[in-house]
C-alpha cells in the first residue's frame, strides 16, 4: 500500500508541514554566511564580466581573484556551519521523523474515527429502513411506497442511483474493497 489513505483531513492545517519558503527562511537564519558568500561570488563574477566587456584586464583579474576568495569563504561557511549545527541537525531530523510518525498516526486515527462514524450512520439508516419495510409488510402496503413516504426524499434519490449490490456494503467494507483494488 504505497498510496496514502484518502481522508477529509487532507489539506487540514494541523497536518501541514513546513513550506519550502519557511524552510529557506529558517535555514537562512541558521546560517546567514552561506547566502552571503554566494552573493559575493555572484557579484565578483558580474564585475569580472563587465570588466572583460570593457577590456579592463587588471580589474577582471582582480575580480576573478575576489571570486576565488568568495567561493573559499562560502566553502568555509558551509564546513563550519555543518560542524557547528551537526548535533542540532541530527536532533531536528529525529524530531521531524517523530513528528511525521505522530502526525501520520493522528491522521490515521482521525480517518478511522470518521469511517466508524459513517459506518454507524449507515447501519442506523439500514435499521430504520428495515423497520419501515417491516412495518409496511405488516400493514399490507408495498414496502417501497411506505419507505418513500417515511424517509427523506433526497436520500432516496441518492440511494436510487446506487445499484442494489452497492447498497449492501457498509462504508468500512467499501474502503476495504477500494484498498484491496489498489494493491
Amino acid at each position: 500500500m504505497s498510496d496514502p489513505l484518502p481522508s477529509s483531513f487532507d489539506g487540514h492545517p494541523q497536518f501541514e508541514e513546513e513550506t519550502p519558503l519557511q524552510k529557506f527562511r529558517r535555514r537562512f537564519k541558521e546560517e546567514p554566511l552561506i547566502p552571503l558568500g554566494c552573493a559575493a561570488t555572484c557579484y565578483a563574477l558580474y564585475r569580472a564580466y563587465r570588466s572583460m566587456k570593457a577590456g579592463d584586464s587588471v580589474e577582471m583579474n582582480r575580480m576573478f581573484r575576489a571570486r576565488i576568495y568568495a567561493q573559499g569563504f562560502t566553502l568555509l561557511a558551509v564546513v563550519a556551519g555543518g560542524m557547528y549545527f551537526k548535533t542540532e541537525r541530527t536532533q531536528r531530523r529525529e524530531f521531524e521523523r517523530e513528528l511525521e510518525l505522530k502526525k501520520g498516526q493522528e491522521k490515521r486515527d482521525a480517518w478511522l474515527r470518521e469511517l466508524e462514524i459513517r459506518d454507524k450512520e449507515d447501519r442506523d439508516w439500514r435499521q430504520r429502513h428495515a423497520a419501515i419495510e417491516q412495518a409496511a409488510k405488516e400493514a399490507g402496503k408495498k414496502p417501497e411506497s411506505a419507505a418513500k413516504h417515511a424517509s427523506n426524499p433526497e436520500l432516496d434519490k441518492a440511494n436510487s442511483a446506487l445499484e442494489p449490490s452497492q447498497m449492501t456494503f457498509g462504508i468500512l467494507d467499501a474502503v476495504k474493497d477500494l484498498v484491496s483494488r489498489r494493491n
Side-chain angles (χ1 to χ4, degrees):
M1 189 160 112
S2 60
D3 293 339
L5 299 174
S7 175
S8 63
F9 293 97
D10 288 338
H12 193 274
Q14 179 183 357
F15 299 108
E16 291 296 318
E17 292 297 321
E18 189 176 45
T19 64
L21 183 60
Q22 290 171 336
K23 184 176 181 178
F24 176 78
R25 286 180 181 159
R26 178 181 53 82
R27 295 294 300 265
F28 185 78
K29 287 177 185 176
E30 286 177 0
E31 297 184 66
L33 296 179
I34 295 172
L36 182 68
C38 291
T41 302
C42 291
Y43 179 72
L45 282 172
Y46 171 73
R47 292 282 309 268
Y49 172 76
R50 288 193 50 153
S51 301
M52 186 172 53
K53 284 288 204 178
D56 188 1
S57 62
V58 173
E59 177 71 11
M60 181 179 66
N61 285 331
R62 196 174 71 138
M63 285 299 114
F64 279 133
R65 275 188 238 112
R67 175 194 58 92
I68 291 170
Y69 296 141
Q71 283 180 320
F73 173 78
T74 305
L75 185 59
L76 184 64
V78 168
V79 171
M83 289 173 30
Y84 182 75
F85 289 109
K86 181 179 181 179
T87 57
E88 186 179 317
R89 284 192 182 132
T90 56
Q91 289 173 348
R92 184 161 188 72
R93 277 190 218 117
E94 282 182 30
F95 172 74
E96 287 176 351
R97 197 174 304 123
E98 290 175 17
L99 183 67
E100 184 178 327
L101 289 173
K102 181 182 173 190
K103 286 196 178 206
Q105 185 64 39
E106 287 175 358
K107 195 172 184 180
R108 273 191 297 281
D109 291 345
W111 184 66
L112 287 173
R113 279 193 306 272
E114 179 182 350
L115 286 178
E116 288 170 355
I117 289 169
R118 288 182 182 179
D119 193 46
K120 184 182 180 307
E121 290 172 352
D122 188 49
R123 275 188 263 123
D124 290 345
W125 179 85
R126 289 181 194 284
Q127 288 174 353
R128 282 192 309 268
H129 190 68
I132 290 171
E133 284 184 357
Q134 183 66 30
K137 284 180 184 178
E138 289 175 3
K141 295 181 182 177
K142 259 185 150 175
E144 290 180 15
S145 64
K148 283 185 181 177
H149 292 293
S151 67
N152 184 354
E154 291 180 15
L155 190 60
D156 286 337
K157 288 178 188 175
N159 287 334
S160 67
L162 296 175
E163 299 203 13
S165 64
Q166 290 175 329
M167 292 176 70
T168 61
F169 285 112
I171 292 175
L172 287 175
D173 294 330
V175 171
K176 288 177 186 175
D177 184 45
L178 177 68
V179 170
S180 67
R181 279 193 245 156
R182 285 191 178 178
N183 290 337

